[in-house]
Amino acid sequence: MTVTQTTIQPMTGELRILAALRREPVDATPVWYMRQAGRCLLEYRELRKKYDILTMQRDPELSTQVTLMPVERFGVDAAVLYSDIMIPLEGMGVPFRIEPDIGPIIDHPLRTEADIANLRVIEAEEATPYVYDAIRLIRKELANKTALVGFAGSPFTLACYMIEGRPSRDYGKAKSFMYGQPELWHRLMTTLTEVTIRYLRGQVDAGAQAIQLFDSWVGILGPEVYAEYVFPYSTRIFAEVRAMGVPTIHFGTGTAGLLEMMAEAGPDTVSVDWRVPLDVAWERIGSEKGIQGNLDPTVVLAPWEAVEPRAEDVIRRAGGRPGHIFNLGHGVLPETDPGVLAHLAGWVHERTSRAQQVSQVGR
Amino acid sequence: MTVTQTTIQPMTGELRILAALRREPVDATPVWYMRQAGRCLLEYRELRKKYDILTMQRDPELSTQVTLMPVERFGVDAAVLYSDIMIPLEGMGVPFRIEPDIGPIIDHPLRTEADIANLRVIEAEEATPYVYDAIRLIRKELANKTALVGFAGSPFTLACYMIEGRPSRDYGKAKSFMYGQPELWHRLMTTLTEVTIRYLRGQVDAGAQAIQLFDSWVGILGPEVYAEYVFPYSTRIFAEVRAMGVPTIHFGTGTAGLLEMMAEAGPDTVSVDWRVPLDVAWERIGSEKGIQGNLDPTVVLAPWEAVEPRAEDVIRRAGGRPGHIFNLGHGVLPETDPGVLAHLAGWVHERTSRAQQVSQVGR
């Protein structure tokens, strides 16, 4: 068989997604799903009957088991560490719990200068050794066939939870703290940035091959406020992780007003949600960045006939340009049919395989 | 006293806001607050100890009393009918209740073709006579000093609640219904549009002087999906209300990706939230439209020193152009200090008075 200019040797999932994160040509568009290791899977729900969430996340073997669940099942190109963005708080001396159907709860939220002064910054290996043990185990299991994405919550998102004490629609307490006590806010963000960098360095040292920063709630800010209260910290994290030698992804939702600045903060790839068409978003973040997304996670709750045209729209807007990673615009919803997710991953690979693209040039 | 070109005779609140809604010059920027008649007021919370929410909204005298509470207290230019966007469902044969701290609950959400076929469309006066009685009472009390804004929830927002059954972060059931059963979706939206037009005609006939359409959750949609599933219905409502002879306001949150289309749907004024700077938003919706907003409601939870520079930023971006109505970007949060809201309304009037603007030309 002659390899033509426009076809590419078949790649493992690992090579495929790592190439896309460097904006290099790939044999097919890589796919993974945020929150792919979760309640949509029966085998996960079964395990959850025996263990609570934090018990599983603190146990390297259990966390490895859950991380691997969707890999074969969905045929995705990346595994993502089964963990929670709140985990780094363990080493900071801030007790929290994860309430099913609600989210993280902190019984004593941060409110005062003393609360912030008392936050501890310790060695990552000392704070959360089980995270790094899990990463080493998972890499061994993945055997260089599937990539492992590590992650952290952004300092902004963590600060919101730490001040608010729980998930909220408005984050009124957190934001009024930010507006009303900017000096304390910056002190808190500086501490969280340092902890996050240590946490991510530990993950990279243990074998994480890409890092996603989850700035999940950043869409509640306008651009000027983002620039003043968040941007400097995200910028510092991306610079540090870049120096560790792994590619980075910057995730947020509701970011239609922030895309340019999220790109400017320095990630290799920006993850966008469905509120902005993928080509419009790519134009705004710039062609020198990769893009991840952006199917609406509620679309995959519908039957496949309704999913295909929406997925096709994402692929069409990506236009075969190197640097697109197919994903949902936010995490998999618990009620999602895993069969649809598996079918979708296969469909994306097939629909974007280089051989197929060649045959479609004339369309 | 000589009236110079740049000063304007003092206006009542009613004239001020109605002029701004026609994009005519005003003596000062008009102000009101969404959800100004609510839990931030002690006198409201006292009344709520005696009556539940729907009892108050179904009683013209009580609803008048609550509607008037913030008028003197805050010195706003408009009263807004104390009611709930769910009220039109009463005439449709869809029972619902309002759970404090949660929101509207429908025990039997719409799911099937039969559920949608069974929705009733009756005369507005027959469905919700107390709403129109309240409007007549309120207009009498306001005595042409303060304007009365009437409103309705948009068909999209109502459909979300009717299918989902309760407030949700994702509206996964509602959106997957929309994606998966588009024909039923359009049938439901057509019915809700008809009911909404009748409901608003009743309000205008009774004396509402402006109408705001609350498309509160529309920001969960991308622009193509909005265009297909929502836009035609909003457009029809604005055309009908325009024909009734009152100005219209189109409200949504998280609409950074939708502003142009929300303007194109035909309102006189677009209400924008704090996620897009006011001048950027105005540029996008077009100078032939008015703009309402857009202070972050969490800003007014902070002390006044933190509020003033943010309010100043809104005023500066409005640039004294006719057609700006000062408001928050979303409803008043229950924990807001009413004193801050009163101070802010006075500050906006003073800061934007034409006399003052003249003296600041040289700055």
Side-chain angles (χ1 to χ4, degrees), chain B residues 351-363:
Chain B
R351 177 68 190 78
T352 59
S353 84
R354 297 286 283 176
Q356 205 172 3
Q357 281 180 24
V358 172
S359 76
Q360 285 174 355
V361 163
R363 290 209 332 196

Side-chain angles (χ1 to χ4, degrees), chain B residues 62-337:
Chain B
L62 285 172
S63 135
T64 297
Q65 187 183 340
V66 176
T67 300
L68 296 175
M69 278 176 181
V71 172
E72 289 286 314
R73 179 72 179 265
F74 296 153
V76 285
D77 299 300
V80 57
L81 179 67
Y82 175 66
S83 184
D84 194 279
I85 61 166
M86 300 295 280
I87 290 290
L89 272 60
E90 303 234 79
M92 300 181 75
V94 180
F96 66 93
R97 54 204 159 84
I98 312 280
E99 267 317 304
D101 294 321
I102 298 179
I105 306 283
I106 296 174
D107 287 322
H108 301 286
L110 303 190
R111 289 296 148 77
T112 67
E113 188 166 352
D115 290 340
I116 290 166
N118 287 336
L119 294 173
R120 294 190 303 153
V121 180
I122 60 174
E123 288 308 312
E125 273 288 352
E126 184 193 337
T128 51
Y130 50 83
V131 167
Y132 314 114
D133 289 341
I135 288 175
R136 284 182 281 264
L137 266 173
I138 296 163
R139 279 299 306 279
K140 206 175 294 172
E141 293 290 334
L142 292 175
N144 290 110
K145 289 193 189 125
T146 305
L148 176 61
V149 176
F151 69 88
S154 75
F156 173 71
T157 296
L158 294 179
C160 280
Y161 284 131
M162 289 168 90
I163 299 169
E164 200 75 31
R166 55 187 298 130
S168 152
R169 193 188 288 282
D170 309 297
Y171 290 97
K173 287 188 187 72
K175 287 171 72 186
S176 59
F177 182 99
M178 178 183 85
Y179 289 124
Q181 299 177 272
E183 203 188 300
L184 285 186
W185 174 265
H186 285 295
R187 217 179 298 167
L188 172 59
M189 290 292 279
T190 302
T191 302
L192 282 169
T193 300
E194 180 59 34
V195 169
T196 302
I197 290 166
R198 289 175 184 223
Y199 183 59
L200 291 175
R201 193 185 309 280
Q203 291 190 37
V204 171
D205 287 348
Q209 296 166 285
I211 291 295
Q212 175 157 318
L213 191 70
F214 278 88
D215 217 346
S216 308
W217 307 139
V218 75
I220 58 176
L221 302 178
E224 276 80 13
V225 172
Y226 174 79
E228 186 173 344
Y229 295 103
V230 178
F231 179 82
Y233 306 100
S234 304
T235 303
R236 192 172 154 227
I237 291 170
F238 286 116
E240 293 277 351
V241 178
R242 170 174 301 239
M244 298 172 204
V246 297
T248 52
I249 306 170
H250 196 181
F251 167 80
T253 64
T255 54
L258 300 176
L259 287 176
E260 291 83 357
M261 301 189 76
M262 287 180 68
E264 203 190 321
D268 297 291
T269 295
V270 178
S271 190
V272 299
D273 76 8
W274 62 93
R275 292 170 174 95
V276 183
L278 190 103
D279 49 341
V280 176
W282 210 340
E283 178 81 26
R284 286 179 53 195
I285 64 178
S287 56
E288 75 286 4
K289 298 283 179 193
I291 194 162
Q292 175 172 278
N294 71 343
L295 194 67
D296 183 343
T298 67
V299 165
V300 290
L301 302 178
W304 174 252
E305 304 74 59
V307 177
E308 184 173 336
R310 302 274 160 206
E312 175 71 33
D313 186 63
V314 172
I315 297 296
R316 186 181 60 77
R317 290 175 189 275
R321 286 173 287 178
H324 178 222
I325 295 163
F326 191 97
N327 205 321
L328 306 179
H330 203 169
V332 170
L333 295 166
E335 60 270 35
T336 308
D337 174 357

